[in-house]
Amino acid sequence: MTFTAGKAGRDTRSVRGLVWLAALLAFCGVAQAADASPAKGSMWDEHPRVIAGISFAVLCQSLMITALLVQRRRRQLAEDEVRLGNERYREVVETQHEMVCRYLPDSTCTFVNDAFCRHFGKPREEIVGAAFLEMLPKEQHRMAKEGLRKMIETQQPYPHEHTIEIDGKEIRMEWVDYPVIDEKGVIKEFQSIGRDITRRWHAQEALRQSEERFSGVFRGSPAAIGIIRQSDGRLVDVNPSWERFFEIGRDQAIGSTPVELGLIASREAGERFKIFLESGESLNGFEQPVNLPGGKLRWMSMTCVLIPLGGEPCFVVMSSDITVQREMDEARQSLVQATRLAILGELTASISHEVNQPLGAILNNAETAEILLKSDTPSLAELRQILADIRRDDIRASEVIKRVRTLVGKHEMQMAPLYLNELLGDAIRMVEHDCQRHGVSITSEYALNLPMISGDRVQIEQVMLNLLLNAMDALKGVPLSNRRLIVRSARHGGMWVETSVEDNGHGMSPAARERIFDSFYTTKEQGMGLGLALARSIAEAHGGRLTAENNAGGGATFRLMLPVHDE
Ligand code: ADP
């Protein structure tokens, strides 16, 4: 650019100089004509027409030369412009990453840029003049020819993609070919601009596959899945399982809220749904009654996760029908309750003894206090002791009543950290009197420093009472002097706490061993055969297990394993 400006400046200056020279000559002629006096007989006087003519001719010539110079300069500038433009164009074409190729209707290459040569790993001389079809794999010839035909027919650009193999690697190319048409509307050649889109293609392919997978999971999932927009609680999509389960078509569901579809069973549930939407919190295993068409009520367990979908937060709600499970749970709860009552029935002697004993002691102590008060100088120390005993016995009696009440009362499973040894002590206390009555010596061997377990106190106590009562039953045939029952606690690995009830009773026959945990299996005349089945289901509901084995020296041992409380 500097060069152009300098040269232009110089040329302008020389043109200006010539104009000045012509003007000067003309001026000199005129001046001379003016200055010369007629007396001197000047040239002007003598040849005024000649001088004026010459001056005029010089002026005209100068003007012509000037015009020619200006024209030449303009042409030069235009040529420079074209040359620069060409250079710039070539530079742009050569330095860009996109591949540029020109070819004739018979596919002969007339021009390729560096990127094109680099991409195909061939020198320009090898490509230009050759047919580009030759560079394509055979199976793509038909597509390329079809493209040519289309362009000739429509004179429109032809965008297309294809995959080629270079050095054993799959390369995805994106091309836009278009016809280059001259002023008469005839196709001179074709220009093709292409780029390597392998990376984008792989990413798109991965995305497509992932979308396909996810939509497969969504469509094929056995769980009913609905997607609910958080802002207005409307369904955005539902899967076929959802349609089947709720007996509502996708078209009807999309755009409606569960309330509008009549799925929400109660006002309270509707309120909960609103609060849940507003909170934006994810839920796991949330149990909710749902109305189905025809007035059927089902219980659903719902897992809701809030995720952004299509730029707006949506809940993905996965529902599974837990009606049967809930009914079974309720039935199990009722059975657990019934067996607890049965256990209590068996323990009435113990319970009445446990209550009567402190009550009797309270009565005795009260009578003794009365006698003491009748004396002139009652011993205050003795009276204080009597009152302390009364308070202790009262607490003992009310403890027993409390325990009985919890066993009798209907009760939802409540998990809490528990000290197993403490719980075993309570259970043993409840059967102690019965053991005494039946001549059973009950001993306990507790491991110290046991970690806490996590469980429902009432249910675990129920399992222990059941095992203790069964053991006492098994000891019935053993001579009175030899009836032994041992309750142990121990740590089992890092994760478990084990408690066992060992007796030296009749043990289990091979047939009994197979079936003792089956519901309604009993070998007792008055037995219900539910105690062990329920005890095992309670153990499993706690993430533990209950097993039984015969002892080498006779009798049986039942082991209850419970997981350590996880802090
Ligand atoms: P039930 O006590 O009503 O029979 P359970 O389910 O508690 O019901 O027990 C089922 C059966 O398991 C008993 O009938 C008995 O045959 C057997 N059983 C339970 N505990 C023992 C034990 N400690 N020793 C031997 N057999 C036992």
Side-chain angles (χ1 to χ4, degrees), residues 470 474 503 506-508 516 521-524 527-529 531-532 558:
N470 274 348
D503 64 64
H506 55 63
M508 297 167 282
I516 51 165
Y521 174 78
T522 181
T523 54
K524 301 171 198 169
M528 289 210 300
L532 285 178
F558 284 75

Side-chain angles (χ1 to χ4, degrees), residues 21-37 42-45 47-56 59:
L21 179 69
L24 193 67
L25 279 169
F27 175 76
C28 285
V30 173
Q32 210 175 7
D35 284 353
S37 69
S42 66
M43 287 278 282
W44 174 260
D45 288 334
H47 311 287
R49 281 173 188 267
V50 175
I51 291 173
I54 291 170
S55 298
F56 181 72
L59 182 64

Side-chain angles (χ1 to χ4, degrees), residues 10-31:
R10 256 199 322 275
D11 284 346
T12 316
R13 274 198 299 279
S14 51
V15 168
R16 256 192 234 137
L18 279 167
V19 173
W20 276 112
L21 179 69
L24 193 67
L25 279 169
F27 175 76
C28 285
V30 173

Side-chain angles (χ1 to χ4, degrees), residues 116-164:
F116 192 95
C117 300
R118 267 197 313 276
H119 185 79
F120 287 96
K122 289 185 177 173
R124 198 180 308 259
E125 310 78 69
E126 210 177 294
I127 304 172
V128 174
F132 87 80
L133 269 181
E134 298 305 311
M135 292 162 62
L136 296 178
K138 275 238 156 45
E139 60 273 17
Q140 286 176 10
H141 285 195
R142 211 170 58 90
M143 197 183 84
K145 283 180 188 161
E146 176 66 16
L148 266 170
R149 194 190 55 76
K150 264 192 192 157
M151 280 189 288
I152 293 168
E153 222 172 80
T154 63
Q155 300 210 336
Q156 291 296 314
Y158 170 63
H160 57 108
E161 283 183 21
H162 67 105
T163 311
I164 50 168

Side-chain angles (χ1 to χ4, degrees), residues 339 346 466-475 501-503 505-509 512-513 515-535 548-550 555-558:
T339 44
E346 285 183 53
N466 194 67
L467 297 181
L468 292 169
L469 291 173
N470 274 348
M472 277 159 53
D473 284 343
L475 287 165
V501 176
E502 182 188 316
D503 64 64
H506 55 63
M508 297 167 282
S509 67
R513 259 184 84 173
R515 299 193 50 206
I516 51 165
F517 292 108
D518 292 351
S519 301
F520 306 110
Y521 174 78
T522 181
T523 54
K524 301 171 198 169
E525 239 171 64
Q526 306 288 317
M528 289 210 300
L530 285 173
L532 285 178
L534 284 168
E549 71 211 40
N550 277 330
T557 298
F558 284 75

